[in-house]
Amino acid sequence: MTPILLLSQTSQPELGWLSSKLLGVTLTSAEWVLWILVILSVLSIAIMLERTVYFARNRLPDSEGLAVRLARGDFEAARKAVEGRSGMEAAVVREALASTAQGADTVEQVIASTMSRERPQYERFLSFLGTLGNNAPFIGLFGTVLGIIKAFHDLGAANVKGAAIQQTVMAGISEALVATAVGLAVAIPAVVAFNIFNRQLKTLTSRANALGYALVGSMRAERPASETAARAAEGR
């Protein structure tokens, strides 16, 4: 019996130094992965609330009506409408009206510059939500893999037979799958919020462009009219 025991012991593969070190790391509990996901979830919720408040405060309530006033040339009413307002739309109208004396071409450049300056304020923290939505499931999967490795290691170290083996494996795997579920629970709201805020930003950009086009169009329509009146006066 002794030679057989010695043969069985020598047949067991020995792990290398790096493999043993990595195995020691992976055999730690996956709970720290869950804590990371919880912290990321709290941060994402805070960003969602902050962005919701920011988007709600920095928009004009009646940009369509303001565009009509600009198209009709009622610049004074438009100036009063954006007085004290913040956000991309108000900034575009305010800066454009301040540059009307320099001509329509200059106003177009001012509008483009103002939108480029204001847009990053709306995009703030959105990259975090997009990154979290794409990678949170992988973080949860990483925790699941760690949990499964630990479950099978504990099974190999335990002296159990029959139904006890199934109970040990299933308990460890079910506990490990919690990390994947938490990762999905963190990722899905982040992706939804990222898409909603991006859609709102596109809407705000379109409305700001519409205001700018209305102003520039009104200026260019007034210029031929004034030139025609001047020529008529010279003909007299």
Side-chain angles (χ1 to χ4, degrees), residues 69-217:
R69 296 174 190 170
L70 290 172
R72 292 176 179 175
D74 192 359
F75 295 163
E76 188 60 30
R79 188 176 287 106
K80 291 181 180 179
V82 299
E83 185 177 357
R85 296 281 184 176
S86 60
M88 181 187 298
E89 299 162 294
V92 165
V93 175
R94 190 182 301 111
E95 298 293 335
L97 289 174
S99 305
T100 52
Q102 301 176 17
D105 293 336
T106 302
V107 170
E108 285 184 337
Q109 297 298 323
V110 170
I111 291 172
S113 174
T114 304
M115 293 183 64
S116 298
R117 184 190 68 208
E118 293 291 329
R119 187 180 179 88
Q121 301 297 325
Y122 291 88
E123 294 176 339
R124 189 181 180 189
F125 301 131
L126 294 188
S127 60
F128 177 85
L129 293 178
T131 303
L132 181 61
N134 290 329
N135 293 284
F138 295 104
I139 298 175
L141 181 61
F142 177 69
T144 297
V145 172
L146 292 180
I148 292 176
I149 291 174
K150 188 175 185 300
F152 279 99
H153 182 270
D154 294 341
L155 177 63
N159 188 15
V160 293
K161 295 181 180 179
I165 296 178
Q166 182 179 1
Q167 182 179 0
T168 303
V169 174
M170 292 299 103
I173 293 178
S174 61
E175 183 179 354
L177 289 175
V178 173
T180 299
V182 174
L184 292 174
V186 173
I188 292 174
V191 171
V192 172
F194 177 78
N195 292 331
I196 290 175
F197 290 133
N198 267 333
R199 180 61 183 172
Q200 290 183 359
L201 179 56
K202 290 181 180 178
T203 301
L204 286 172
T205 303
S206 299
R207 293 169 65 176
N209 278 323
L211 293 171
Y213 292 148
L215 176 57
V216 173

